[in-house]
Each structure stands twice: as C-alpha cells, then as structure tokens.
Amino acid sequence: MNQILVTEYNKKTSKKAGIKGIIMFFAFSLILFGLTLLGEGSYAIYKNIQEKSPSNIPIVNIRRENDELVVNITHSAEIMKIKYSWDMGEENVVPINAYTAEERIKLLGYNSTLTLTIEDFNGKQITYQKQYILDGVDITKPSIDVTTSNGSSEMVITAKDETAISKLTYKWDGEEEVTIYAETQNQKEIKKEITLTPGTRTLTITAEDKNGNIQEMKKEIVTSTSKPKMSVLKNGNKVTFHVEDEDGVKYILVNLNGETYSADNINRKEVDVGPLTLREGNNILSIEVTNISGYTESAATELEYTAQ
C-alpha cells in the first residue's frame, strides 16, 4: 500500500515539473520575441529621429530680386539635384552634385505657388512649398540708357522706372562710386550728364526703383575729343597718306590692292604714311586709323592710274 502511494506521488511530481518547464520555455520565448520587437522599434524610432534632426535637413533661403527668386541651399549631405515647379505644373530638374547650391527661378508675374524638392545622394527628399502673392507688387526693373556721340566730351545717363525711381549709381574702374538720389517721392526719371576724359574705360551703372528692383549695366566707353582726319596725296604712281588727330595717332592700317601695311605705337598728332606704288589701272585703297583714346575711324576709295 505504501509503495503504491509513493509511486502515485512521484508521478504527480514529475507531471508538475513538466508543465513548469513548458511554461518557462514559452515565457522565455515571449520575452525574447518582445526584446526583438523592441529592438526593431527602437531602431525605427532612432532612424526617424535622425532623419528629422535639424542637422539632416537642408537649409533653404529664398529671396526675391526683381522678377526672380534667388534660392540658396546648404546641406550636410551632398545634394544630388533640385526640382521645382509652379502651381504643380511642368517640373524643372537641376543637377547639383555639391553641398551648396544657388538657383535663380523666374517669377510668373501673378499669384502662384512654388514647389521645391531637394534630393540628396542618400535618396532622401525634402519638399518645400511657398505661395507668392504678386497682386500690386512691382517686379519690373528700371531701364538704363547711355547717350554719347563720337568726338563729344559729354555723356548722358538716364534711369527710368514706370512706378518711381529711387537712385542712380555709376562707377568708373579705379574710381569712387557716385550716387544720385531722386529728389521727389514719385520721380520716374534721373538724368546725369558726365564730362568724359579721353581713353577707353569700363563704366558700371546701377539703377534702383523705390520697390527695390535693380537694373545693372556694364559698358566699355571709348572717349575721344576728336576724330582722326585722313587725306590721300597722289603723285604719278605714288600715293601718300596724311593722318592727324588732336589726341594723337596710335595705330594706322593701310590696305592697297590686298596688301596691308601697318604702324603701331605712333603717338604723334600728325604722321605721313608712304609713298606706296600704284599699279596700272584701278587701285582699291582703304585706311583705318586709331587714336590714343581708342577711337577708330576708317575710309576707303578707288584710285585710277594710267602710265604715260
């Protein structure tokens, strides 16, 4: 009897130990699975935080200049390309391949929305949208006109704007900048007369209207107080050229029947070239003279020679 009780007790004990082992196995498996999910979830959260970190988002600065937007972009990753469109219309794609970019985008001239997408070499894309309200906004640049005439020592610069001109600025190479401001609030034109000195120089002119629209012009100005004067003296089959200029003659080029003759760095107010020999029959002659101010004058003629 006692033996039977011991056997039944051992069976019950063994059965309980088996159930406990199974429970522990499943509990351990669930814990391991939970840790795996937690790890994956943590990575996803970490990655999401990293992608939204300010250091991983491009810095975009947009400003308006006249009828254009100037877009400047800086990114911690290399920018592969930028894409932009107006009102979700045709998309423009610009390859960059750099960490910084600048792009000028033409405004449409009416209320519209710009969509700008930046894609880096990691495949990440960031999209910006901004609406531009242009009702009543002046985006038209002023106009600049430069008037001068050959041999004149005066030049007139005129800046105009359809709304109101603010200022006119001009600067010769190597000289200080000169600014002329509008005298009245709604003035539409600024005119400046400038006395020129002989020579060839570059002039930079800037006009700005009251709404901040800017027009710039860079122009090479050739200034001379006089024109070169030329005369041809013919004696039999010989021809001589007389050239004079008040500023001074620098360069002469003569073409007689396809043959060229030249002289440079003359730097004299009067000079004779020749004599050159004419051929029998018709002779085609041209002459080009440049004075020390850089002004060029040319002339051409035909001369007939018949041997006696």
Side-chain angles (χ1 to χ4, degrees):
M1 183 68 178
N2 290 336
Q3 187 175 359
I4 295 171
L5 289 173
V6 170
T7 303
E8 288 180 354
Y9 175 79
N10 288 339
K11 286 181 179 179
K12 288 179 181 179
T13 303
S14 175
K15 192 173 183 179
K16 287 181 180 178
I19 292 169
K20 186 177 180 181
I22 292 169
I23 292 170
M24 288 183 66
F25 172 77
F26 278 106
F28 178 76
S29 298
L30 287 171
I31 291 169
L32 184 62
F33 181 67
L35 288 173
T36 303
L37 290 178
L38 182 63
E40 290 179 354
S42 298
Y43 173 74
I45 293 169
Y46 175 76
K47 182 180 179 183
N48 190 46
I49 290 172
Q50 284 294 99
E51 287 183 349
K52 291 183 178 180
S53 170
S55 62
N56 292 327
I57 296 176
I59 298 171
V60 180
N61 180 269
I62 303 177
R63 69 181 191 277
R64 183 179 70 84
E65 285 186 5
N66 306 319
D67 57 350
E68 290 182 323
L69 296 178
V70 182
V71 181
N72 285 284
I73 305 168
T74 303
H75 196 11
S76 58
E78 191 172 357
I79 303 165
M80 183 170 70
K81 61 186 174 183
I82 62 174
K83 299 179 286 187
Y84 67 89
S85 65
W86 287 106
D87 297 333
M88 303 304 290
E90 183 180 355
E91 192 171 62
N92 298 275
V93 181
V94 183
I96 302 299
N97 303 327
Y99 290 91
T100 60
E102 180 175 293
E103 183 69 17
R104 289 182 172 267
I105 301 175
K106 192 87 168 177
L107 287 163
L108 297 183
Y110 51 84
N111 298 347
S112 48
T113 300
L114 174 69
T115 300
L116 175 69
T117 300
I118 302 161
E119 184 176 338
D120 64 26
F121 270 86
N122 297 320
K124 184 171 67 177
Q125 292 186 353
I126 300 291
T127 299
Y128 300 82
Q129 274 194 337
K130 186 173 181 180
Q131 186 179 27
Y132 288 88
I133 305 298
L134 297 180
D135 287 341
V137 178
D138 175 21
I139 62 172
T140 304
K141 294 183 281 189
S143 65
I144 299 173
D145 182 64
V146 177
T147 305
T148 185
S149 59
N150 296 331
S152 173
S153 61
E154 300 295 328
M155 179 179 69
V156 178
I157 303 174
T158 305
K160 294 181 181 180
D161 189 77
E162 86 291 351
T163 304
I165 195 74
S166 174
K167 62 182 177 179
L168 167 67
T169 302
Y170 69 91
K171 181 181 182 299
W172 295 102
D173 284 345
E175 294 187 8
E176 292 292 325
E177 189 174 77
V178 178
T179 302
I180 303 99
Y181 293 94
E183 297 177 352
T184 60
Q185 186 175 1
N186 295 316
Q187 185 174 329
K188 294 187 177 183
E189 178 180 296
I190 296 176
K191 187 175 289 188
K192 176 64 177 177
E193 189 173 284
I194 301 172
T195 301
L196 301 173
T197 55
T200 301
R201 296 188 296 169
T202 300
L203 178 66
T204 302
I205 308 166
T206 304
E208 182 176 343
D209 70 14
K210 73 171 186 178
N211 293 310
N213 297 302
I214 297 172
Q215 178 73 282
E216 185 174 281
M217 173 189 289
K218 188 170 283 191
K219 187 178 180 68
E220 186 178 77
I221 306 295
V222 178
T223 309
S224 177
T225 57
S226 67
K227 294 182 181 181
K229 298 176 182 178
M230 299 167 282
S231 58
V232 180
L233 305 175
K234 180 173 173 289
N235 184 12
N237 68 336
K238 301 296 181 182
V239 61
T240 304
F241 307 92
H242 180 76
V243 180
E244 58 183 74
D245 186 271
E246 290 181 10
D247 293 338
V249 177
K250 180 183 179 182
Y251 175 75
I252 298 175
L253 174 66
V254 176
N255 186 313
L256 177 60
N257 298 324
E259 293 288 333
T260 58
Y261 310 86
S262 64
D264 200 2
N265 297 317
I266 301 169
N267 299 328
R268 289 163 52 188
K269 292 190 175 183
E270 291 189 42
V271 61
D272 291 323
V273 179
L276 300 178
T277 304
L278 298 174
R279 69 187 179 191
E280 190 165 1
N282 190 46
N283 293 265
I284 300 173
L285 173 68
S286 67
I287 182 169
E288 181 181 286
V289 180
T290 302
N291 67 15
I292 60 173
S293 301
Y295 179 77
T296 299
E297 187 81 3
S298 59
T301 189
E302 294 185 15
L303 293 177
E304 190 74 26
Y305 170 69
T306 303
Q308 298 296 328

